Amino acid sequence: GQQVMQIPQYQHVQEGEDFTTYCNSSTTLSNIQWYKQRPGGHPVFLIQLVKSGEVKKQKRLTFQFGEAKKNSSLHITATQTTDVGTYFCAGLTLNYGGSQGNLIFGKGTKLSVKP
Amino acid sequence: DAGITQSPRYKITETGRQVTLMCHQTWSHSYMFWYRQDLGHGLRLIYYSAAADITDKGEVPDGYVVSRSKTENFPLTLESATRSQTSVYFCASSESGIGTGAYEQYFGPGTRLTVT
């Protein structure tokens, strides 16, 4: 079945270092979403990417969608302690008619930041 | 604006008991979802609903029952709880459905369920 793999599972960085998490799908995606979950909290929507090769930025966060729409990445520049949490990607595949689909979450990358 | 709420936030129950987790949203979103989150598995979809009286299975529906008589409520029932159902359960809602455009999901605070 469809799988969305996310690596790494854990990442420990020193504050100020950069961080990247990668998401890879076994099938071509219609679009991809990214969520952040703070420790003890719930997932919060960050962004959605739709177009092949799309790049979006939110302050220090840069999101990319691969040309083949099978992979995506989230890069954080100069991490801060407020970036701590688990980052999930969620890939969507649609049926031929586009009326239904499956949204599959990756297992997440847990980021810890040492001050 | 209450958004999306879940109750109870914490629940301990015994194996074999029936337990119902409640989810309520105030946005009148059409779509609602139930996920479970376990270490090493991420978020897995249990059931979802496109509208009142329309529900469908997700990835891991066995042992769960849902209903949606009103747009704003989407309760999840464990008919006979098992230890393997110990998890954190998240309810979510979205304005649009898959295939109809932006469908960012808004998650509730979660219910931590322990089955002993």
Side-chain angles (χ1 to χ4, degrees):
Chain A
Q2 178 194 353
Q3 289 188 344
V4 174
M5 307 299 292
Q6 196 172 349
I7 57 170
Q9 191 173 359
Y10 302 96
Q11 185 77 57
H12 309 283
V13 300
Q14 191 77 34
E15 189 173 21
E17 292 181 339
D18 291 356
F19 159 76
T20 304
T21 174
Y22 300 90
C23 194
N24 294 288
S25 170
S26 56
T27 58
T28 302
L29 300 171
S30 298
N31 54 45
I32 194 158
Q33 297 180 344
W34 285 91
Y35 291 79
K36 177 184 178 181
Q37 183 177 21
R38 295 182 186 276
H42 57 275
V44 175
F45 175 82
L46 293 176
I47 208 160
Q48 176 175 289
L49 304 172
V50 179
K51 300 176 182 177
S52 169
E54 188 170 15
V55 178
K56 287 188 176 180
K57 292 189 176 183
Q58 290 180 349
K59 297 182 180 178
R60 293 178 295 103
L61 278 60
T62 302
F63 303 85
Q64 292 188 334
F65 201 10
E67 293 291 340
K69 300 183 74 172
K70 297 182 76 172
N71 58 75
S72 182
S73 66
L74 159 59
H75 179 81
I76 302 178
T77 303
T79 55
Q80 300 174 359
T81 54
T82 53
D83 296 325
V84 164
T86 301
Y87 293 85
F88 293 95
C89 61
L92 174 70
T93 56
L94 295 175
N95 63 4
Y96 181 75
S99 61
Q100 293 187 9
N102 291 314
L103 182 67
I104 304 296
F105 280 81
K107 294 183 179 180
T109 295
K110 187 173 182 179
L111 173 65
S112 61
V113 180
K114 186 175 181 181
Chain B
D1 184 358
I4 182 165
T5 57
Q6 293 183 235
S7 61
R9 294 294 312 279
Y10 303 90
K11 176 74 176 178
I12 299 174
T13 191
E14 295 178 344
T15 300
R17 290 192 178 269
Q18 181 181 83
V19 60
T20 296
L21 310 183
M22 304 301 293
C23 179
H24 176 80
Q25 51 107 352
T26 60
W27 294 307
S28 298
H29 284 172
S30 297
Y31 284 75
M32 296 187 74
F33 309 83
W34 273 108
Y35 293 90
R36 61 178 290 174
Q37 185 173 40
D38 306 289
L39 278 174
H41 288 281
L43 289 158
R44 292 183 291 175
L45 182 65
I46 305 171
Y47 269 95
Y48 68 98
S49 169
D53 298 322
I54 301 175
T55 62
D56 209 345
K57 295 178 180 179
E59 181 185 356
V60 288
D62 292 344
Y64 303 95
V65 174
V66 293
S67 62
R68 195 168 176 206
S69 57
K70 293 183 178 181
T71 299
E72 61 267 30
N73 297 323
F74 191 37
L76 175 74
T77 298
L78 287 68
E79 296 184 294
S80 178
T82 65
R83 289 195 180 90
S84 65
Q85 292 177 309
T86 293
S87 186
V88 179
Y89 291 85
F90 287 102
C91 178
S93 71
S94 67
E95 183 175 1
S96 301
I98 288 172
T100 61
Y103 56 92
E104 60 187 84
Q105 296 189 18
Y106 296 86
F107 285 79
T111 294
R112 186 174 294 275
L113 175 68
T114 302
V115 183
T116 61

